[in-house]
Amino acid sequence: MLEKALSGSKTYWAWIFALLVLIGIGAGFYLYQLNEGLVVTGLNRDVSWGLYIAQFTFLVGVAASAVMVVLPYYLHDYKAFGKLTLLGEFLAIPACIMCMLFIFVDMGRPDRIVYVFMHPSPNSVMFWDTLVLSGYLGLNAVIGWTMLNAERKDTAPPRWVKPLIYLSIPWAVSIHTVTAFLYQGLPGRGFWMTAIMAPRFLASAFAAGPSFLILMVLLVRKFTKFDPGNAALRKLGQIVTYAMFVSVFFFLMEVFTVYYSNIPEHKHHFWFLFVGGPLYLKGAMWLFVALAVIGLAIMVNPATRNNITTLAVGAGCIFTASWLEKGLGLVIGGFTPNPLGEYTTYTPTFPEIAIAVMVWCIGFLILTVLYKVATAVKEEKALS
Amino acid sequence: MDRGKRNFLKIAGLTGVGAYVGLKGVQAIGNKGTKAKKKLALVIDTRKCKGDCPDCITACHREHNVAERHNPNFKGPGPKAAQGIKWIWVSTFAGAFHEQIHERTGKRKEPVVVLCNHCDDPPCTRVCPTGATWKRKEDGIVTIDMHRCIGCRFCMAACPYGSRSFNFSDPRRSLKAVKPGFPTRTTGVVEKCNFCVERLGEGLLPACVTACTKKAMHFGDLNDKNSPASKALMGVHSITRKPILGTGPEVYYVL
Ligand code: SF4
Ligand code: SF4
């Protein structure tokens, strides 16, 4: 089936070429980082995780969000999502791969990665995260590929995938829960020490992931004859609306707890992110607030949610807002101030950003190929 | 009793048992390796140490080939001071003990030396995905295997005292002189104070304790009543950093 990714329009090849160029540039910077060490990044003794781990955290959410189309379709038999589930599952695959790549580029000694498997340490949350993430990648790859094959051959999917699909639902929740445990179980990090970290992660993931899917569906529809239908898009819009409300609600609960209790160790992180930090970070955080408000205003109004153009704008706002909060603020804010109450500024360097862009582009490349194959199969079927 | 009720009780019972087993498991993981035969500790007498001389730091960092600052003469990517390494350093009193000061702490605001606390229940070892860092059963020293560390820096996030440093670049480039007898590290691994485990093996005291001209540091086994550390804690008021976190620091500060 993969051969279907080898024929495409000029735009298709231009897009692939652009991705490859960015991957090439990033790969050059990665070699540089490999040679010199993480000194080429903005990371430091106090902010020891940054852009890479933040992208990882955000993308685990995108991967987990596939459950938002799988669950209504398989558990509630919501027919309108029939054509969409495959796109959801195929989105989870590159998201998982990007997660793994972000962990990899963040390692000080990537040559020793096998030690994680040679010396399994069940007391480390990272061990469990590796397990659940690879399991989730495997599940979605098997399910997606089998379903697509069945569709192409016009046969019913084999019976054994059903249990796998059901398994993938709690599994999706587990990957983001375990990822939250990486943070919320650490003593002395006031910003992360909150029991609603995992629910918060899930809520923002279920807002950001389906938002991204809306945008992807619109692109797919523009470039191919495959169309999952406006009803599916509008339903996704509803899901995004609910999830974003819950996400903002959870965020406000944090704000209340921190400010009403008035505990300095917890307040300082918020102060740094919104008031005291470097301009780029402050800007990003206020932009997050603005985009969340605008996105919600668009989504909550049925007229603008059901209009596909404004729906796309709303989805874009919410996806970006979630990225700013989780893909930037969460990690940096948690590390500043450091355990001694000192403020060290972290600013991602150019090589660091180029490497992060490389990983995103690898993800987009895989996503493009998978979507190309899927839509080609679906188009073929529609013709015959 | 009707069937529904019986089933409910069964499920409730099973859930209870499950929760108990789960809890015990989590506790067992949390408490792993806390029973040390010896309980090595460092007592810092802040009445004598005012944090105003570099003796212990210089001695430690020379002893262990610690690449404090990156060599400014080195031509290459510009490492920042914040990417340097420290095993023992001076912090403000407020930084080390911010939950224990108030407006009139007065002269207690003098700086103090801080280092890895070799905690009884260290969160840093709990999170390591490769077992590259652990608490030694025999003496309680928290140690790192530089050959196994993958540089994921999870332990740095987990340490609530900021005690760990990461080799952002090749430390050998930044060392003015390399002391033979102690291994230099490579790029990409984490390091920190090791309570001079190599000197203890030779019957010596930690380098910082020996170097302190004010005799403000006392080292020894707290399980032994007659050790210098035990004696130094007798009859005085001492505190540790962030006792509220349950890590059980083994570096004590006499006030
Ligand atoms: S002070 Fe930090 S590095 Fe040292 S044992 Fe305690 S938690 Fe680990
Ligand atoms: S950086 Fe090294 S010592 Fe620290 S958690 Fe990772 S592997 Fe373990």
Side-chain angles (χ1 to χ4, degrees):
Chain A
M1 262 193 298
L2 266 180
E3 75 283 350
K4 297 211 186 323
L6 291 179
S7 61
S9 63
K10 269 218 185 87
T11 335
Y12 173 72
W13 285 112
W15 167 243
I16 297 277
F17 181 74
L19 287 178
L20 286 174
V21 168
L22 288 174
I23 293 172
I25 296 173
F29 279 107
Y30 182 66
L31 285 181
Y32 174 55
Q33 177 186 302
L34 212 52
N35 234 354
E36 299 294 341
L38 285 162
V39 65
V40 306
T41 68
L43 295 169
N44 52 60
R45 206 178 172 284
D46 295 329
V47 187
S48 44
W49 282 342
L51 195 61
Y52 299 152
I53 294 297
Q55 301 311 293
F56 153 79
T57 310
F58 178 74
L59 286 163
V60 174
V62 174
S65 72
V67 75
M68 285 289 104
V69 285
V70 171
L71 190 143
Y73 182 62
Y74 288 103
L75 288 192
H76 298 280
D77 205 21
Y78 181 67
K79 291 278 184 318
F81 276 2
K83 292 180 164 174
L84 206 64
T85 45
L86 191 64
L87 296 188
E89 283 152 0
F90 274 180
L91 174 60
I93 296 173
C96 280
I97 294 175
M98 282 190 269
C99 289
M100 292 171 174
L101 286 174
F102 271 117
I103 292 278
F104 187 79
V105 298
D106 185 71
M107 284 173 66
R109 292 297 303 255
D111 53 318
R112 294 181 179 166
I113 189 152
V114 287
Y115 289 4
V116 178
F117 308 100
M118 278 165 63
H119 309 285
S121 313
N123 47 325
S124 172
V125 181
M126 193 124 22
F127 166 81
W128 294 104
D129 218 15
T130 320
L131 275 192
V132 289
L133 257 186
S134 17
Y136 191 66
L137 174 62
L139 272 178
N140 277 291
V142 170
I143 295 170
W145 208 248
T146 318
M147 296 304 275
L148 187 63
N149 240 325
E151 187 164 331
R152 192 179 61 142
K153 296 205 193 96
D154 238 338
T155 53
R159 293 251 300 278
W160 53 261
V161 299
K162 258 291 165 63
L164 288 189
I165 291 171
Y166 291 144
L167 179 64
S168 79
I169 295 171
W171 203 293
V173 177
S174 84
I175 60 170
H176 220 19
T177 305
V178 175
T179 305
F181 285 180
L182 286 176
Y183 297 97
Q184 73 184 67
L186 304 179
R189 301 274 179 192
F191 194 59
W192 299 331
M193 173 60 61
T194 161
I196 62 160
M197 187 64 103
R200 236 179 97 189
F201 270 23
L202 286 164
S204 76
F206 294 160
S211 294
F212 190 67
L213 202 56
I214 291 176
L215 299 174
M216 288 303 108
V217 168
L218 291 177
L219 279 179
V220 163
R221 191 150 93 166
K222 187 155 185 245
F223 289 110
T224 72
K225 286 186 207 69
F226 174 63
D227 181 7
N230 280 348
L233 279 175
R234 292 189 178 121
K235 194 47 128 189
L236 274 179
Q238 260 177 18
I239 293 178
V240 169
T241 314
Y242 278 115
M244 193 61 185
F245 264 114
V246 176
S247 176
V248 168
F249 174 62
F250 282 169
F251 183 80
L252 293 176
M253 280 166 80
E254 298 277 14
V255 174
F256 169 80
T257 311
V258 166
Y259 280 92
Y260 194 78
S261 71
N262 203 25
I263 300 174
E265 256 187 76
H266 293 248
K267 271 193 324 192
H268 287 159
H269 300 280
F270 276 91
W271 176 84
F272 173 75
L273 281 177
F274 285 93
V275 185
L279 198 63
Y280 86 90
L281 198 58
K282 275 193 291 196
M285 292 319 285
W286 286 108
L287 188 61
F288 145 66
V289 173
L291 288 178
V293 171
I294 298 172
L296 270 179
I298 294 176
M299 291 305 221
V300 79
N301 183 347
T304 38
R305 184 179 62 238
N306 291 333
N307 174 318
I308 300 301
T309 318
T310 40
L311 175 71
V313 176
C317 287
I318 287 182
F319 179 79
T320 316
S322 307
W323 182 82
L324 291 170
E325 192 233 338
K326 212 149 110 197
L328 212 60
L330 177 92
V331 173
I332 305 174
F335 277 116
T336 334
N338 77 358
L340 291 117
E342 298 156 347
Y343 292 83
T344 307
T345 305
Y346 159 81
T347 312
T349 59
F350 186 76
E352 195 176 359
I353 294 171
I355 292 169
V357 168
M358 165 186 82
V359 177
W360 274 96
C361 288
I362 294 176
F364 272 114
L365 188 66
I366 300 171
L367 186 70
T368 309
V369 168
L370 288 176
Y371 274 18
K372 181 85 178 54
V373 173
T375 51
V377 167
K378 291 193 184 251
E379 274 176 348
E380 238 171 50
K381 277 232 2 215
L383 283 180
S384 64
Chain B
M1 196 157 51
D2 63 55
R3 204 136 123 238
K5 244 188 218 156
R6 214 175 310 140
N7 277 346
F8 170 76
L9 282 181
K10 254 191 231 160
I11 292 173
L14 277 180
T15 318
V17 172
Y20 179 78
V21 171
L23 208 65
K24 281 286 149 198
V26 169
Q27 274 173 357
I29 289 171
N31 294 338
K32 216 176 88 182
T34 53
K35 281 273 166 295
K37 280 195 204 100
K38 270 195 203 167
K39 196 172 154 96
L40 291 182
L42 180 68
V43 179
I44 300 170
D45 193 336
T46 63
R47 295 170 304 185
K48 293 180 187 155
C49 170
K50 303 288 169 211
D52 53 359
C53 75
D55 294 349
C56 55
I57 302 170
T58 318
C60 166
H61 288 185
R62 193 182 296 140
E63 173 81 21
H64 299 111
N65 293 317
V66 172
E68 269 178 39
R69 286 280 163 113
H70 290 263
N71 187 352
N73 297 328
F74 170 70
K75 284 189 189 57
K80 297 145 213 89
Q83 293 177 324
I85 309 242
K86 30 190 188 181
W87 282 29
I88 177 169
W89 71 101
V90 173
S91 157
T92 57
F93 193 87
F97 299 104
H98 48 82
E99 62 293 319
Q100 305 187 34
I101 59 152
H102 52 84
E103 258 175 49
R104 313 216 168 180
T105 322
K107 64 181 195 327
R108 291 282 173 244
K109 282 196 179 148
E110 285 138 357
V112 287
V113 288
V114 289
L115 64 154
C116 167
N117 292 292
H118 296 271
C119 304
D120 292 342
D121 215 336
C124 58
T125 62
R126 196 184 306 149
V127 300
C128 179
T130 60
T133 180
W134 68 97
K135 187 168 177 72
R136 288 163 38 119
K137 288 233 163 55
E138 59 273 35
D139 49 20
I141 292 179
V142 174
T143 188
I144 307 174
D145 180 350
M146 313 287 179
H147 299 285
R148 196 191 278 193
C149 173
I150 59 171
C152 66
R153 312 191 293 296
F154 199 3
C155 53
M156 292 177 79
C159 171
Y161 305 99
S163 300
R164 291 176 167 247
S165 304
F166 177 73
N167 283 286
F168 283 94
S169 61
D170 186 354
R172 275 163 283 212
R173 279 176 188 164
S174 318
L175 288 169
K176 285 188 204 86
V178 174
K179 181 178 178 282
F182 196 83
T184 51
R185 275 72 68 193
T186 57
T187 315
V189 297
V190 160
E191 62 180 77
K192 64 165 192 70
C193 156
N194 66 348
F195 255 6
C196 278
V197 65
E198 77 290 349
R199 286 172 61 98
L200 299 180
E202 291 169 21
L204 298 168
L205 280 171
C208 54
V209 178
T210 313
C212 179
T213 51
K214 311 215 169 82
K215 300 276 169 278
M217 287 183 167
H218 309 276
F219 184 80
D221 177 10
L222 286 190
N223 286 342
D224 169 6
K225 274 201 303 250
N226 295 317
S227 74
S230 295
K231 280 187 186 152
L233 286 179
M234 212 107 67
V236 293
H237 179 51
S238 62
I239 56 174
T240 59
R241 291 173 68 195
K242 304 188 183 179
I244 196 172
L245 298 179
T247 50
E250 288 304 340
V251 173
Y252 298 79
Y253 296 84
V254 175
L255 296 183

